[in-house]
Amino acid sequence: MTDNIVWQQHHTSRAQRAELFGHRSGVIWFTGLSGSGKSTVANALEQALAARGFHTYLLDGDNVRHGLCADLGFSAEDRTENLRRVGAVSGLMVDAGLLVLSAFISPYRSQRALVRSLVPEQSFLEVYIATPLAICEQRDVKGLYQKARKGEISHFTGISDPYEAPENPDLVIDTSSTELSDSIEQLLQLLAERGWIKAAQSTTL
Ligand SMILES: Nc1ncnc2c1ncn2[C@@H]1O[C@H](COP(=O)(O)OS(=O)(=O)O)[C@@H](OP(=O)(O)O)[C@H]1O
Ligand SMILES: Nc1ncnc2c1ncn2[C@@H]1O[C@H](COP(=O)(O)OP(=O)(O)O)[C@@H](O)[C@H]1O
């Protein structure tokens, strides 16, 4: 497909953009069941980062599936293509100098390995939102678990489709036992430990 396509070198580098923005770029990838808290935590982290002057963008499954991936469903193949596109977009945004927050169920280890491969080395952090299925189902924010249990939605992650937990995530957060503010504190701490933000920026404003 890319046989006759020649890669164009750009004159403005990622390093120059980092200097312009005053911070490095990278992807913070949130994976977990529907209703586990990916969007809630990613949104709160984005607000915390924006308040500290970082340039960010939040990519979210529900939103991306209305546009870029509106043609895709939830078979394993469609999920892989969904995540390949999101991985590619995340990679472009990293090149553009942003701290990207991506919140997708991304249920298969191979799919998360694929997105990692589409982002520059050392620029990908995996955050596993490990809220137990029973809690997600109890929350049933969108009423989808009830529909899945009734057989009205096929391939529903956790009910009729698999979720493979990450083996070596950078951070694990169970939102059924962690206050949102504590999750954000842990995430800022992680970013500081990995040198993505300065230690002073990880403390409460
Ligand atoms: N069959 C099935 N399984 C799982 N989820 C479903 C399904 N059908 C619709 N939805 C809704 O789609 C959202 C998940 O989309 P993602 O793009 O994150 O999924 S994936 O990463 O491609 O697996 C998911 O959003 P979140 O609840 O925010 O995770 C659901 O609202
Ligand atoms: N400590 C917590 N952290 C994050 N979300 C929480 C917490 N406690 C309860 N919730 C609720 O759990 C739900 C998680 O939904 P959402 O963030 O949309 O999950 P996902 O994006 O994984 O589908 C929200 O209604 C949120 O208010």
Side-chain angles (χ1 to χ4, degrees):
M1 228 65 99
T2 51
D3 285 358
N4 298 314
I5 311 290
V6 178
W7 195 263
Q8 293 291 313
Q9 287 302 326
H10 293 176
H11 298 304
T12 309
S13 68
R14 186 181 166 204
Q16 280 174 303
R17 291 196 181 93
E19 201 165 316
L20 211 57
F21 284 164
H23 61 82
R24 59 158 295 154
S25 60
V27 177
I28 305 156
W29 188 274
F30 295 87
T31 173
L33 294 169
S34 175
S36 57
K38 302 180 298 296
S39 304
T40 305
V41 174
N43 261 295
L45 178 62
E46 186 176 37
Q47 284 196 306
L49 289 169
R52 287 162 175 78
F54 291 93
H55 298 73
T56 62
Y57 196 78
L58 171 55
L59 289 163
D60 193 294
D62 278 321
N63 296 352
V64 166
R65 281 176 171 279
H66 276 103
L68 180 67
C69 299
D71 56 325
L72 300 173
F74 289 89
S75 65
E77 294 73 26
D78 277 12
R79 289 181 200 252
T80 299
E81 176 57 13
N82 177 43
L83 296 165
R84 188 195 65 77
R85 290 182 200 174
V86 172
V89 170
S90 299
L92 290 173
M93 288 185 172
V94 166
D95 200 39
L98 301 178
L99 280 179
V100 183
L101 300 93
S102 298
F104 292 83
I105 296 178
S106 39
Y108 293 94
R109 289 191 192 110
S110 59
Q111 294 168 340
R112 296 190 298 268
L114 170 67
V115 291
R116 187 187 284 268
S117 76
L118 296 168
V119 172
E121 291 269 336
Q122 309 294 321
S123 302
F124 187 91
L125 294 174
E126 187 175 64
V127 179
Y128 174 29
I129 306 295
T131 311
L133 173 64
I135 303 291
C136 299
E137 189 164 2
Q138 200 181 313
R139 287 179 180 163
D140 208 3
V141 184
K142 301 165 192 158
L144 297 177
Y145 281 97
Q146 203 182 2
K147 281 191 186 170
R149 285 288 183 200
K150 284 199 249 167
E152 291 170 16
I153 308 179
S154 59
H155 294 292
F156 196 80
T157 307
I159 305 295
S160 47
D161 225 48
Y163 178 81
E164 296 175 355
E167 282 170 326
N168 195 20
D170 295 281
L171 186 64
V172 180
I173 298 173
D174 175 348
T175 66
S176 67
S177 55
T178 314
E179 291 290 337
L180 183 56
S181 56
D182 292 335
S183 298
I184 302 312
E185 216 169 282
Q186 287 179 33
L187 280 157
L188 291 172
Q189 191 69 42
L190 171 72
L191 294 174
E193 276 167 24
R194 300 296 170 89
W196 287 34
I197 66 175
K198 296 190 183 83
Q201 294 169 314
S202 70
T203 53
T204 318
L205 285 184

